[in-house]
Amino acid sequence: MSAQRYLVTARKYRPQLFSELVAQQHVTETLKNAIRLDRLAHAYLFSGPRGVGKTTAARILAKAINCTTPLEEREANAEPCRSCDSCRTFEEGRSLNIIEIDAASNNRVDDIRDLRETVRIPPQGGRKKVYIVDEVHMLSTAAFNALLKTLEEPPPHVLFIFATTEPHKVLPTILSRCQRFDFRRIAVPEITDRLTEICEEENIRADEASLMLIARKGDGALRDALSVFDQAVSLCGNDIEYAELAKALGVVEVDRYFEVTDLVAARDTGGMLRLVERTVRAGHDLQEFLSGLSEHLRNLLVARTMEDLDLIEAAQTTRARYGDAVADFTESDLLRLLTVAADAEDAIKGATQPRLKVETTLLKMASITLGADLRTALSKIDRLEEMARRGELPTGDLSGETSSSAPADAPSRTPSRVPADTPKRSTPKKSTAKPSDASRSTPDQNTANPSPPKSKPPKTDAEPPVSGASREPTPASSDAEATARSARTAAPGAAGSTTTLSLVDEPSPKHLGDGTSSTPPPEESPQPATSPKQSPGSGASDLLGKPALRRPSPAEASTDDNEAEPDRAPPDRADAGPITGAWDELLEAVKNDKIQVWSLLHHTEPEAFDDGVVQIAVPNDFHRRVLTSQSSYVLGHLEELVDVSIRTIQFSIRESMDETASQETASDFDPYEYMKRKREENPVVRAIFDQFGGELVW
């Protein structure tokens, strides 16, 4: 007595009814309705990936068409009965009315000519003669053309069913004569459910993780998954365990991918190299390792962005693990890591040293700075701009924090460390003159011959004397400014350096590049810790902390700001004399040499010239501050055009010019050139471009 012949699972459990087809209800319902309504077409085209049921659906349709049982007695009024002679002869392979043709091996024009001769023979004891042509896209062009006329007008007893995985290779003239049905890839949960049913039928015990692994190896094809299932049963017997199955299939265990992300969070580059070594020693394919890493990062991204974890194709315990592991990463972190892994997965296909490519990829992941949310930074910038429009921000430079390697005696730049009851130091006044060399510098109060500008009004008793250093830079402050300018072009991160991000080319009045402070002693001009506009709980305090430099209120400006009153243009001014005649030539020279200065300077005009002091009217405080920082540059050009001796330049505000200047400046100022120059000069701006891969776009 011979033993029963063994059948692989894919054949043993091949669907025999429309209801047994997995995940193709959109096709089966249409075909069953066509059978019920007797609206069968003469040609069908089934297309889709491999192993999803195209040929199986064609066989069920052919069997249902020729079933001799009345529709009223069939299941769902359409399914084949599987008990009549027609159904039994087909299932036993003895039917003469259902002919299957493999177009991959019968693709010549002579094969189609033979088919055309046989279609004229009516079915033997059946309703229709059904031709199932598998892999129809393999037919040659001549064979397609030979089939064309027969396919368009076949005999009434003939029905064609074509199956293909590449419908784009079928001639359009053939496609236009068929009803096309596109079969879908089968999802992992649906494959897992089918595997569970087969395990119950075969008395096989398999855990959820093992079935998930088998379903994922099927890659959307149930037939492929069933082949892996047979391999797993042969390896593990009737008790399938995940650890043993993963080792046998050469699959990288999920624990190793969690280890990768843990090392990324810890920035452990040495651990990454050891992990690659263990992966290579275990014999895993490195391309498959990167593919699994991409899927792992994708699952983390799902856990970060979705409220539920249903989109993660894994066991429940593994899903919960993803929910816990995602706490160390933001959405932007995972997107950056996923991009790096995807790029490496494409590059490793042609790499001569795949291990080196994997190592550099993992090291790059471990070196990525996590937690840098650009959207949060941009939102803070928007808030700063809004507060600047309301006048709630401090004046001067928005400087960065002093690095941790700064000298201990350097003045502190962290406002939060200053007690609230400690009076602030008075803010040094910006220089209104910037001499081009030492001969134009005005000595400060420690020199033998101080000479303040003649236009300066006398000081009141309530106002403490301000040294000449607050009006014009001394040689020492000029050296400090040069040091600060050179520090901005140095590499970031140098020991003891202070990185400053400034919107204008002027040194920070709070802290100069050489470590010295130009701040007067606190007893000269004490101020309260908070101003009316900058309370401790305001929005600016939330973003920047308590400001070291702040915008004075109108009441304070009238008493403390020694520069506000003389900077305002007096109502009666003397004629600017030779300066007025040379002004147009000055603008032309500056425009050809330094367009940024010209874009502001051409909104100004000379108002007075007295005793070597040139008074120039500007539309607003922004023009005054920026042009004051460029006063030595303007002074040098002006001396080349006039024959008079010019000692200094002072810029005063005329508010009537503000509206016109703001409109014209918006069109004349070139932000692209400005940011390009800043990226070259300022190390902080350059580091931002390098870190985020930014590009100048305008």
Side-chain angles (χ1 to χ4, degrees):
M1 181 177 178
S2 61
Q4 184 178 3
R5 186 168 64 94
Y6 169 74
L7 288 177
V8 297
T9 306
R11 293 183 60 187
K12 184 177 180 180
Y13 291 94
R14 190 167 197 167
Q16 300 296 328
L17 300 173
F18 286 120
S19 59
E20 295 177 359
L21 281 173
V22 179
Q24 310 299 340
Q25 289 78 10
H26 65 292
V27 175
T28 58
E29 290 300 324
T30 305
L31 295 178
K32 286 192 292 185
N33 285 333
I35 294 173
R36 296 189 194 105
L37 301 175
D38 194 19
R39 295 181 61 87
L40 292 170
H42 63 270
Y44 291 93
L45 176 68
F46 294 166
S47 64
R50 69 181 189 278
V52 295
K54 300 184 297 296
T55 305
T56 298
R59 290 182 175 183
I60 297 174
L61 176 60
K63 185 167 54 174
I65 291 173
N66 287 314
C67 181
T68 58
T69 303
L71 294 177
E72 295 80 7
E73 300 178 9
R74 301 188 199 178
E75 182 182 349
N77 296 331
E79 299 279 10
C81 68
R82 302 189 63 191
S83 58
C84 66
D85 292 338
S86 176
C87 292
R88 283 189 289 106
T89 55
F90 173 74
E91 292 182 0
E92 294 172 1
R94 297 183 290 107
S95 177
L96 299 177
N97 297 324
I98 302 175
I99 301 107
E100 292 191 45
I101 300 175
D102 179 21
S105 56
N106 299 277
N107 54 7
R108 299 176 304 169
V109 65
D110 293 337
D111 298 324
I112 300 302
R113 287 172 180 167
D114 294 340
L115 184 147
R116 288 168 52 187
E117 295 297 327
T118 60
V119 296
R120 293 183 291 182
I121 302 174
Q124 303 299 314
R127 181 183 175 188
K128 281 184 179 292
K129 200 170 187 178
V130 182
Y131 288 87
I132 301 175
V133 184
D134 204 3
E135 302 298 334
V136 69
H137 65 275
M138 299 293 290
L139 291 177
S140 63
T141 303
F144 271 127
N145 292 330
L147 179 63
L148 188 60
K149 189 62 178 177
T150 302
L151 182 64
E152 184 176 13
E153 297 179 359
H157 57 268
V158 173
L159 188 144
F160 290 98
I161 304 177
F162 302 128
T164 178
T165 56
E166 302 181 48
H168 59 280
K169 292 185 178 180
V170 180
L171 293 184
T173 52
I174 298 293
L175 292 175
S176 64
R177 289 162 171 80
C178 302
Q179 285 191 13
R180 177 174 171 175
F181 291 88
D182 292 324
F183 285 65
R184 302 169 181 169
R185 299 174 66 89
I186 305 176
V188 170
E190 294 172 318
I191 297 178
T192 304
D193 294 341
R194 182 58 177 165
L195 291 175
T196 303
E197 295 174 0
I198 295 175
C199 287
E200 293 176 356
E201 291 286 338
E202 298 289 333
N203 294 323
I204 296 175
R205 192 189 68 83
D207 55 9
E208 183 184 7
S210 299
L211 296 181
M212 279 284 184
L213 175 59
I214 294 173
R216 284 174 32 231
K217 291 290 287 184
D219 193 23
L222 181 57
R223 183 178 61 209
D224 294 1
L226 292 176
S227 299
V228 177
F229 176 78
D230 286 338
Q231 183 179 354
V233 173
S234 300
L235 172 70
C236 304
N238 293 336
D239 192 0
I240 302 176
E241 295 182 357
Y242 175 79
E244 186 178 2
L245 179 62
K247 183 178 180 181
L249 296 179
V251 177
V252 182
E253 58 273 16
V254 70
D255 293 339
R256 186 156 301 183
Y257 295 128
F258 279 106
E259 184 180 356
V260 171
T261 48
D262 290 341
L263 293 174
V264 170
R267 302 176 66 83
D268 187 356
T269 54
M272 286 293 192
L273 295 177
R274 289 189 291 271
L275 183 142
V276 175
E277 173 66 19
R278 295 198 309 270
T279 302
V280 172
R281 285 184 177 272
H284 295 302
D285 182 70
L286 293 180
Q287 185 170 352
E288 185 176 349
F289 170 78
L290 287 178
S291 178
L293 180 59
S294 298
E295 183 180 0
H296 173 73
L297 294 172
R298 175 259 180 195
N299 292 339
L300 286 175
L301 185 61
V302 171
R304 167 56 66 184
T305 57
M306 304 292 292
E307 296 180 358
D308 53 61
L309 305 178
D310 294 339
L311 294 182
I312 298 178
E313 297 175 347
Q316 290 295 336
T317 55
T318 307
R319 291 181 183 179
R321 191 173 178 183
Y322 277 113
D324 297 335
V326 79
D328 296 332
F329 303 94
T330 64
E331 183 178 345
S332 59
D333 295 336
L334 295 173
L335 285 173
R336 293 164 65 191
L337 294 174
L338 187 57
T339 301
V340 172
D343 293 342
E345 188 177 355
D346 293 336
I348 198 175
K349 296 177 181 178
T352 56
Q353 295 182 328
R355 174 173 177 171
L356 180 60
K357 184 62 181 178
V358 174
E359 287 177 340
T360 54
T361 299
L362 296 184
L363 291 177
K364 184 176 181 180
M365 289 182 176
S367 302
I368 290 178
T369 303
L370 301 180
D373 192 349
L374 187 58
R375 290 179 296 183
T376 303
L378 292 176
S379 65
K380 288 187 177 182
I381 292 176
D382 293 339
R383 292 173 58 191
L384 284 171
E385 292 178 349
E386 179 63 25
M387 285 184 283
R389 285 193 292 269
R390 297 197 302 263
E392 298 179 1
L393 286 183
T395 58
D397 294 346
L398 297 177
S399 304
E401 295 292 340
T402 304
S403 63
S404 59
S405 59
D409 57 350
S412 174
R413 298 180 63 124
T414 308
S416 58
R417 296 181 180 176
V418 181
D421 56 350
T422 302
K424 292 186 177 180
R425 295 184 179 183
S426 60
T427 303
K429 306 301 181 289
K430 295 183 177 63
S431 172
T432 57
K434 201 166 187 180
S436 59
D437 51 39
S439 63
R440 300 192 186 95
S441 301
T442 301
D444 61 7
Q445 60 182 358
N446 297 323
T447 58
N449 187 20
S451 57
K454 291 185 178 182
S455 60
K456 185 172 183 177
K459 296 178 169 40
T460 62
D461 296 338
E463 186 178 25
V466 180
S467 64
S470 64
R471 299 295 300 162
E472 298 177 6
T474 63
S477 64
S478 299
D479 295 340
E481 179 181 355
T483 304
R485 291 182 183 276
S486 62
R488 286 201 292 268
T489 60
S497 64
T498 300
T499 303
T500 301
L501 177 59
S502 175
L503 297 179
V504 295
D505 292 334
E506 58 180 351
S508 170
K510 182 71 177 175
H511 187 76
L512 297 178
D514 58 354
T516 61
S517 174
S518 62
T519 307
E523 59 271 10
E524 292 185 5
S525 179
Q527 294 180 359
T530 57
S531 67
K533 286 189 177 181
Q534 192 66 39
S535 61
S538 65
S541 178
D542 295 339
L543 290 172
L544 302 174
K546 194 176 298 181
L549 300 176
R550 62 185 180 86
R551 187 191 303 275
S553 64
E556 293 172 328
S558 62
T559 57
D560 291 339
D561 194 349
N562 295 322
E563 146 184 5
E565 184 175 350
D567 281 346
R568 295 291 176 178
D572 297 324
R573 296 184 183 274
D575 182 35
I579 307 301
T580 303
W583 194 250
D584 291 339
E585 298 181 30
L586 172 66
L587 293 179
E588 189 65 27
V590 172
K591 182 177 181 181
N592 296 331
D593 183 40
K594 208 168 186 179
I595 188 65
Q596 292 87 351
V597 178
W598 172 86
S599 64
L600 301 178
L601 195 63
H602 85 288
H603 296 300
T604 66
E605 61 181 24
E607 292 223 327
F609 176 69
D610 185 16
D611 195 17
V613 178
V614 179
Q615 290 283 346
I616 298 177
V618 297
N620 50 48
D621 183 66
F622 173 76
H623 284 66
R624 181 183 62 81
R625 288 190 295 110
V626 177
L627 291 176
T628 298
S629 67
Q630 301 290 334
S631 58
S632 59
Y633 170 79
V634 178
L635 182 61
H637 276 278
L638 196 57
E639 286 183 334
E640 297 177 357
L641 300 175
V642 296
D643 296 333
V644 297
S645 176
I646 303 175
R647 183 165 52 86
T648 184
I649 297 178
Q650 294 183 354
F651 297 92
S652 55
I653 299 175
R654 186 197 297 173
E655 296 181 353
S656 60
M657 304 170 62
D658 191 12
E659 182 177 357
T660 303
S662 61
Q663 295 175 354
E664 296 181 6
T665 302
S667 60
D668 294 333
F669 179 67
D670 190 347
Y672 180 87
E673 293 295 334
Y674 177 78
M675 286 305 300
K676 181 179 179 182
R677 179 171 59 85
K678 281 297 177 185
R679 183 174 63 174
E680 296 172 352
E681 296 178 355
N682 194 297
V684 176
V685 178
R686 184 167 60 252
I688 292 175
F689 275 92
D690 295 341
Q691 178 69 22
F692 296 100
E695 297 181 0
L696 288 175
V697 178
W698 188 257

